[in-house]
Amino acid sequence: MKRSIIVGNWKMYATSIADAHILTTSIRNHVADIKDVEIILAPPTIWLSEIAQILKQSRKTRLAAQNMFYEPDGAYTGEISPLMIKEVADYVILGHSERREYFSETDLEVNEKVVAAIKAGITPIICVGEKTKGSTIGQPLKELQEALAGISKTHHKDILVAYEPIWAIGTGKNADPAYVAKVVTKLREVVSVHTPILYGGSVNSSNIASYADRPEIDGVLVGGASVRAAEFVKICKIWSETKSLQPRAKEVK
Ligand code: PEP
């Protein structure tokens, strides 16, 4: 069966350990019975260890870091290495547009991080997307090709891709699901059938069903709405219910 994945990117929200605790516990308790969807929480890195403890008994919810450095160790003040992330999380978001914009991350750095994540046994969630609505899909395609430079196809099952048009992130202007499906189909040519491709950009409980309706889309990356527990849980439930109404996708060989 095809995987269904929902990632909650907390960005730099949940600014106290108490808030992070309440949010995690509430999500953990309410998603336990949701079927056939993998849930990944990406809190601020400083809360990862604490949250890993809260989720210890939960087989449903996994953890992601929001970023990492590509060197395994060394004199890199302020950075966090793949080996450190691996202790507490299974996934890492890489190449998020906010990192590309505010921290000048380049395609080459994203590629170095993707290589380092795979080497460390962490699944990278590679974010790609165009800046302007209506532009060609050249930018996300190029970003994905460059992120995967030098990575053999055998590793494509070890990555996740998130198509996140920048104009849709945090703007309330979510992309048309039919358009997203078209872009996802194009991105799919670069990766393997085993690579889940998600959509991200102003996803909420009112529009989630329209993405779940598209068989091309394997999940969503949720930003702002993921730090409101009830809203995030609702997104996960609607996704699961909508997918369950569709004919079961065959096992991909
Ligand atoms: C994101 O953080 O990648 C994101 C998609 O944010 P939002 O859902 O708030 O648009």
Side-chain angles (χ1 to χ4, degrees):
M1 200 173 76
K2 277 184 89 188
R3 291 171 72 187
S4 259
I5 300 169
I6 298 185
V7 182
N9 173 21
W10 293 9
K11 308 186 190 236
M12 203 171 71
Y13 295 113
T15 51
S16 72
I17 190 72
D19 284 352
H21 225 278
I22 293 166
L23 184 55
T24 310
T25 309
S26 180
I27 292 171
R28 181 199 63 190
N29 294 348
H30 290 95
V31 298
D33 296 330
I34 300 179
K35 289 204 170 58
D36 299 328
V37 54
E38 299 166 49
I39 296 167
I40 302 169
L41 303 183
T45 310
I46 193 158
W47 307 143
L48 276 172
S49 297
E50 183 81 16
I51 292 177
Q53 289 306 311
I54 302 171
L55 295 178
K56 217 162 49 186
Q57 315 296 351
S58 160
R59 290 174 57 233
K60 159 102 22 212
T61 314
R62 295 275 172 269
L63 280 178
Q66 295 177 15
N67 180 37
M68 64 169 211
F69 193 42
Y70 45 79
E71 291 292 348
D73 60 14
Y76 303 104
T77 303
E79 290 294 343
I80 297 174
S81 96
L83 302 181
M84 297 166 186
I85 298 295
K86 179 67 185 157
E87 292 282 320
V88 282
D90 301 313
Y91 297 84
V92 61
I93 297 175
L94 295 176
H96 193 281
S97 62
E98 287 155 13
R99 298 233 32 108
R100 294 179 193 261
E101 183 176 354
Y102 305 130
F103 304 94
S104 308
E105 273 194 15
T106 63
D107 287 335
L108 178 61
E109 283 167 317
V110 175
N111 173 246
E112 287 176 308
K113 291 181 179 192
V114 170
V115 170
I118 291 173
K119 190 167 171 209
I122 306 166
T123 302
I125 304 168
I126 304 169
C127 299
V128 297
E130 75 281 7
K131 219 176 182 124
T132 321
K133 187 172 183 177
S135 56
T136 68
I137 80 142
Q139 189 182 346
L141 204 56
K142 174 177 169 286
E143 284 176 353
L144 185 56
Q145 281 160 340
E146 300 207 359
L148 293 175
I151 291 167
S152 111
K153 277 239 170 194
T154 56
H155 285 301
H156 284 194
K157 62 180 188 334
D158 306 323
I159 60 168
L160 266 56
V161 174
Y163 168 54
E164 299 211 299
I166 298 169
W167 51 268
I169 297 179
T171 58
K173 296 179 184 149
N174 60 300
D176 172 44
Y179 175 74
V180 173
K182 237 161 77 181
V183 177
V184 166
T185 303
K186 199 77 199 153
L187 295 176
R188 166 97 30 230
E189 292 172 12
V190 179
V191 291
S192 90
V193 285
H194 301 284
T195 311
I197 306 182
L198 322 182
Y199 164 73
S202 297
V203 168
N204 59 36
S205 61
S206 305
N207 60 35
I208 183 68
S210 63
Y211 297 107
D213 262 337
R214 309 295 314 207
E216 300 89 342
I217 305 172
D218 301 314
V220 286
L221 196 161
V222 186
S226 74
V227 287
R228 287 178 279 133
E231 174 69 358
F232 185 66
V233 171
K234 203 166 163 191
I235 289 170
C236 297
K237 277 193 179 145
I238 295 173
W239 176 277
S240 162
E241 284 160 13
T242 311
K243 283 287 181 203
S244 74
L245 300 174
Q246 295 168 358
R248 300 258 303 177
K250 288 204 187 85
E251 182 81 46
V252 275
K253 293 262 160 60

Short mmCIF file of all heavy atoms in Angstrom, two decimals, residues 10 18-32 34 41 54-55 61 227-233 237:
data_model
loop_
_atom_site.label_atom_id
_atom_site.label_comp_id
_atom_site.label_asym_id
_atom_site.label_seq_id
_atom_site.Cartn_x
_atom_site.Cartn_y
_atom_site.Cartn_z
N TRP A 10 6.66 22.82 13.20
CA TRP A 10 6.34 23.83 14.23
C TRP A 10 7.09 25.14 14.02
O TRP A 10 6.86 26.09 14.76
CB TRP A 10 6.67 23.28 15.63
CG TRP A 10 5.82 22.13 16.07
CD1 TRP A 10 4.93 21.43 15.31
CD2 TRP A 10 5.78 21.55 17.38
NE1 TRP A 10 4.35 20.44 16.08
CE2 TRP A 10 4.86 20.50 17.35
CE3 TRP A 10 6.46 21.81 18.58
CZ2 TRP A 10 4.58 19.71 18.47
CZ3 TRP A 10 6.19 21.04 19.69
CH2 TRP A 10 5.25 19.99 19.63
N ALA A 18 6.89 24.06 28.39
CA ALA A 18 5.52 23.73 28.83
C ALA A 18 4.58 23.68 27.62
O ALA A 18 3.78 22.75 27.48
CB ALA A 18 5.04 24.76 29.85
N ASP A 19 4.70 24.66 26.72
CA ASP A 19 3.85 24.67 25.52
C ASP A 19 4.13 23.45 24.64
O ASP A 19 3.21 22.82 24.11
CB ASP A 19 4.13 25.93 24.68
CG ASP A 19 3.50 27.18 25.27
OD1 ASP A 19 2.73 27.04 26.25
OD2 ASP A 19 3.80 28.28 24.78
N ALA A 20 5.42 23.13 24.49
CA ALA A 20 5.80 21.99 23.66
C ALA A 20 5.23 20.69 24.23
O ALA A 20 4.77 19.81 23.51
CB ALA A 20 7.33 21.91 23.55
N HIS A 21 5.25 20.60 25.55
CA HIS A 21 4.74 19.45 26.28
C HIS A 21 3.24 19.27 26.03
O HIS A 21 2.77 18.18 25.67
CB HIS A 21 4.96 19.68 27.78
CG HIS A 21 5.51 18.50 28.48
ND1 HIS A 21 4.70 17.47 28.89
CD2 HIS A 21 6.78 18.18 28.82
CE1 HIS A 21 5.46 16.55 29.48
NE2 HIS A 21 6.72 16.97 29.45
N ILE A 22 2.50 20.36 26.22
CA ILE A 22 1.03 20.30 26.07
C ILE A 22 0.66 19.94 24.63
O ILE A 22 -0.19 19.07 24.37
CB ILE A 22 0.40 21.65 26.47
CG1 ILE A 22 0.58 21.88 27.98
CG2 ILE A 22 -1.07 21.72 26.10
CD1 ILE A 22 0.29 23.31 28.43
N LEU A 23 1.33 20.58 23.69
CA LEU A 23 1.03 20.34 22.27
C LEU A 23 1.30 18.88 21.89
O LEU A 23 0.47 18.21 21.28
CB LEU A 23 1.89 21.30 21.42
CG LEU A 23 1.69 21.32 19.92
CD1 LEU A 23 0.23 21.57 19.54
CD2 LEU A 23 2.58 22.41 19.29
N THR A 24 2.46 18.38 22.31
CA THR A 24 2.83 17.00 21.96
C THR A 24 1.87 16.00 22.60
O THR A 24 1.41 15.06 21.94
CB THR A 24 4.26 16.68 22.47
OG1 THR A 24 5.13 17.71 22.05
CG2 THR A 24 4.75 15.35 21.95
N THR A 25 1.59 16.20 23.87
CA THR A 25 0.73 15.24 24.59
C THR A 25 -0.66 15.21 23.97
O THR A 25 -1.24 14.14 23.76
CB THR A 25 0.65 15.63 26.08
OG1 THR A 25 1.97 15.82 26.55
CG2 THR A 25 -0.04 14.56 26.90
N SER A 26 -1.15 16.38 23.66
CA SER A 26 -2.49 16.47 23.09
C SER A 26 -2.52 15.79 21.72
O SER A 26 -3.44 15.01 21.43
CB SER A 26 -2.88 17.94 22.99
OG SER A 26 -4.14 18.06 22.47
N ILE A 27 -1.55 16.05 20.88
CA ILE A 27 -1.52 15.40 19.56
C ILE A 27 -1.37 13.88 19.75
O ILE A 27 -2.14 13.10 19.18
CB ILE A 27 -0.37 15.97 18.69
CG1 ILE A 27 -0.68 17.42 18.31
CG2 ILE A 27 -0.18 15.12 17.43
CD1 ILE A 27 0.46 18.16 17.63
N ARG A 28 -0.42 13.47 20.56
CA ARG A 28 -0.20 12.03 20.78
C ARG A 28 -1.49 11.32 21.20
O ARG A 28 -1.85 10.28 20.67
CB ARG A 28 0.88 11.83 21.85
CG ARG A 28 1.20 10.36 22.13
CD ARG A 28 1.89 10.18 23.46
NE ARG A 28 1.04 10.59 24.57
CZ ARG A 28 1.44 10.72 25.83
NH1 ARG A 28 2.70 10.50 26.15
NH2 ARG A 28 0.60 11.08 26.78
N ASN A 29 -2.20 11.91 22.14
CA ASN A 29 -3.40 11.25 22.67
C ASN A 29 -4.54 11.19 21.67
O ASN A 29 -5.36 10.28 21.74
CB ASN A 29 -3.87 11.96 23.94
CG ASN A 29 -2.86 11.81 25.06
OD1 ASN A 29 -1.92 11.01 24.96
ND2 ASN A 29 -3.02 12.59 26.12
N HIS A 30 -4.59 12.14 20.77
CA HIS A 30 -5.74 12.18 19.86
C HIS A 30 -5.50 11.56 18.49
O HIS A 30 -6.45 11.39 17.72
CB HIS A 30 -6.23 13.63 19.71
CG HIS A 30 -6.87 14.14 20.96
ND1 HIS A 30 -6.18 14.87 21.90
CD2 HIS A 30 -8.11 13.97 21.46
CE1 HIS A 30 -6.98 15.15 22.92
NE2 HIS A 30 -8.16 14.61 22.67
N VAL A 31 -4.24 11.24 18.17
CA VAL A 31 -4.00 10.64 16.84
C VAL A 31 -3.84 9.12 16.93
O VAL A 31 -3.76 8.45 15.90
CB VAL A 31 -2.76 11.24 16.12
CG1 VAL A 31 -2.94 12.73 15.87
CG2 VAL A 31 -1.47 10.94 16.88
N ALA A 32 -3.84 8.61 18.15
CA ALA A 32 -3.52 7.19 18.35
C ALA A 32 -4.38 6.25 17.50
O ALA A 32 -3.88 5.25 16.99
CB ALA A 32 -3.66 6.84 19.83
N ILE A 34 -6.02 7.02 14.64
CA ILE A 34 -6.18 7.40 13.23
C ILE A 34 -5.45 6.37 12.37
O ILE A 34 -4.28 6.07 12.59
CB ILE A 34 -5.64 8.83 12.97
CG1 ILE A 34 -6.42 9.83 13.84
CG2 ILE A 34 -5.78 9.18 11.50
CD1 ILE A 34 -5.95 11.27 13.69
N LEU A 41 6.27 14.84 13.67
CA LEU A 41 6.31 16.18 14.26
C LEU A 41 7.72 16.74 14.15
O LEU A 41 8.70 16.04 14.46
CB LEU A 41 5.91 16.12 15.74
CG LEU A 41 4.53 15.54 16.07
CD1 LEU A 41 4.25 15.64 17.57
CD2 LEU A 41 3.43 16.25 15.28
N ILE A 54 8.17 11.90 25.50
CA ILE A 54 6.70 11.91 25.54
C ILE A 54 6.13 10.93 24.51
O ILE A 54 5.10 10.31 24.71
CB ILE A 54 6.15 13.34 25.27
CG1 ILE A 54 6.69 14.33 26.30
CG2 ILE A 54 4.62 13.36 25.25
CD1 ILE A 54 6.37 15.79 25.99
N LEU A 55 6.86 10.79 23.39
CA LEU A 55 6.34 9.94 22.31
C LEU A 55 6.86 8.51 22.37
O LEU A 55 6.57 7.71 21.48
CB LEU A 55 6.70 10.56 20.95
CG LEU A 55 6.07 11.91 20.64
CD1 LEU A 55 6.56 12.41 19.29
CD2 LEU A 55 4.55 11.82 20.64
N THR A 61 3.54 8.22 16.01
CA THR A 61 4.13 9.54 15.78
C THR A 61 5.65 9.49 15.82
O THR A 61 6.24 9.00 16.78
CB THR A 61 3.61 10.52 16.85
OG1 THR A 61 2.20 10.33 16.95
CG2 THR A 61 3.88 11.95 16.49
N VAL A 227 0.67 23.81 14.95
CA VAL A 227 0.89 24.16 16.35
C VAL A 227 -0.42 24.42 17.09
O VAL A 227 -0.43 24.88 18.23
CB VAL A 227 1.88 25.35 16.54
CG1 VAL A 227 3.30 24.91 16.24
CG2 VAL A 227 1.51 26.54 15.68
N ARG A 228 -1.53 24.11 16.41
CA ARG A 228 -2.84 24.13 17.09
C ARG A 228 -3.30 22.68 17.12
O ARG A 228 -3.65 22.10 16.08
CB ARG A 228 -3.82 25.02 16.32
CG ARG A 228 -3.47 26.51 16.52
CD ARG A 228 -4.39 27.42 15.74
NE ARG A 228 -3.96 27.52 14.36
CZ ARG A 228 -4.76 27.40 13.31
NH1 ARG A 228 -6.05 27.16 13.46
NH2 ARG A 228 -4.28 27.51 12.09
N ALA A 229 -3.22 22.06 18.31
CA ALA A 229 -3.40 20.61 18.42
C ALA A 229 -4.71 20.13 17.79
O ALA A 229 -4.70 19.20 16.98
CB ALA A 229 -3.32 20.18 19.88
N ALA A 230 -5.83 20.78 18.14
CA ALA A 230 -7.12 20.29 17.65
C ALA A 230 -7.19 20.39 16.12
O ALA A 230 -7.70 19.48 15.46
CB ALA A 230 -8.25 21.10 18.29
N GLU A 231 -6.67 21.47 15.59
CA GLU A 231 -6.67 21.67 14.13
C GLU A 231 -5.78 20.62 13.45
O GLU A 231 -6.17 20.03 12.43
CB GLU A 231 -6.19 23.09 13.81
CG GLU A 231 -6.01 23.42 12.34
CD GLU A 231 -7.32 23.49 11.54
OE1 GLU A 231 -8.39 23.25 12.11
OE2 GLU A 231 -7.23 23.76 10.31
N PHE A 232 -4.62 20.38 14.01
CA PHE A 232 -3.70 19.40 13.41
C PHE A 232 -4.31 17.99 13.43
O PHE A 232 -4.26 17.25 12.45
CB PHE A 232 -2.36 19.43 14.14
CG PHE A 232 -1.32 18.54 13.50
CD1 PHE A 232 -0.82 18.81 12.23
CD2 PHE A 232 -0.84 17.42 14.16
CE1 PHE A 232 0.13 17.99 11.63
CE2 PHE A 232 0.11 16.59 13.58
CZ PHE A 232 0.60 16.88 12.31
N VAL A 233 -4.92 17.65 14.56
CA VAL A 233 -5.55 16.32 14.69
C VAL A 233 -6.68 16.19 13.67
O VAL A 233 -6.84 15.16 13.02
CB VAL A 233 -6.06 16.10 16.13
CG1 VAL A 233 -6.91 14.84 16.23
CG2 VAL A 233 -4.88 16.03 17.11
N LYS A 237 -7.19 13.41 10.76
CA LYS A 237 -8.41 12.57 10.69
C LYS A 237 -9.06 12.68 9.32
O LYS A 237 -9.43 11.68 8.72
CB LYS A 237 -9.42 13.04 11.75
CG LYS A 237 -9.14 12.46 13.11
CD LYS A 237 -10.32 12.68 14.05
CE LYS A 237 -9.97 12.06 15.39
NZ LYS A 237 -10.47 12.78 16.53
#
